[in-house]
Amino acid sequence: MAESAGTISTMKEFVTFLREGTIAVVLLLFLLLPGAMKNVMAKAGFASADIAGFKFELQQSAQQTQTATETVTQLEDKLSALKQQLDQVSQSAAAPEVKQKIMTLSDEVGKTRAETSSVQTSLRNSLATQRSIIQKVDPNLLEQKPPKP
């Protein structure tokens, strides 16, 4: 029994030695060949950055921001068209209370459109920042299409 405990202990020490040795070798490769290791990591699909303890999937995040920007642009266009239609209906409405209700709806659509414009500006700024970070980390990522989830 003592012999098997000694064998298990020796195996644990050996596995720990292998693990620590592997980590040391990988760290040395990163120190000695950073360009080659970056390319290997990028080819393996690691396109993320660790900033202040937060891990960001750069390429995927930029793609999501781009998609959100396009969606907000479509919403702005639809809101603009809706506001124009409400203004036209308001001009042809006979009853003053109906006309007032339509004008109130038109004003609400205008306010919503202004809010979406503000969101659009924030998204564009965020996308520019993300692209700037990607450019600094790995310029080749901007040219690649992210894999579909």
Side-chain angles (χ1 to χ4, degrees):
M1 181 100 155
E3 189 174 305
S4 84
T7 304
I8 290 174
S9 176
T10 304
M11 289 176 62
K12 283 182 181 179
E13 290 175 7
F14 181 70
V15 169
T16 301
F17 171 76
L18 284 178
R19 184 186 71 215
E20 298 297 325
T22 303
I23 291 171
V25 168
V26 170
L27 287 175
L28 281 173
L29 286 173
F30 274 110
L31 289 173
L32 299 175
L33 306 167
M37 290 302 290
K38 185 168 110 175
N39 289 337
V40 168
M41 297 297 283
K43 287 178 184 176
F46 291 95
S48 63
D50 193 3
I51 302 169
F54 294 100
K55 189 170 186 174
F56 296 98
E57 295 296 328
L58 301 175
Q59 191 176 15
Q60 182 180 10
S61 179
Q63 183 61 37
Q64 289 171 343
T65 303
Q66 178 66 39
T67 301
T69 302
E70 292 167 1
T71 301
V72 171
T73 299
Q74 292 171 354
L75 289 173
E76 280 184 316
D77 293 344
K78 288 178 183 178
L79 286 170
S80 180
L82 182 59
K83 183 166 177 19
Q84 288 177 349
Q85 290 174 354
L86 285 171
D87 290 343
Q88 290 173 353
V89 171
S90 173
Q91 292 173 355
S92 64
E97 50 278 342
V98 172
K99 193 172 192 168
Q100 181 60 38
K101 182 73 171 173
I102 293 172
M103 289 301 290
T104 301
L105 289 172
S106 180
D107 289 344
E108 287 297 319
V109 169
K111 289 177 187 175
T112 303
R113 188 167 170 249
E115 290 172 5
T116 58
S117 180
S118 174
V119 169
Q120 179 77 308
T121 301
S122 295
L123 284 171
R124 285 184 178 144
N125 290 339
S126 177
L127 184 60
T129 301
Q130 291 171 349
R131 287 183 175 163
S132 173
I133 291 170
I134 291 171
Q135 183 70 31
K136 289 176 184 173
V137 172
D138 188 355
N140 296 328
L141 287 178
L142 288 176
E143 299 166 9
Q144 298 174 359
K145 295 287 183 195
K148 301 245 175 173

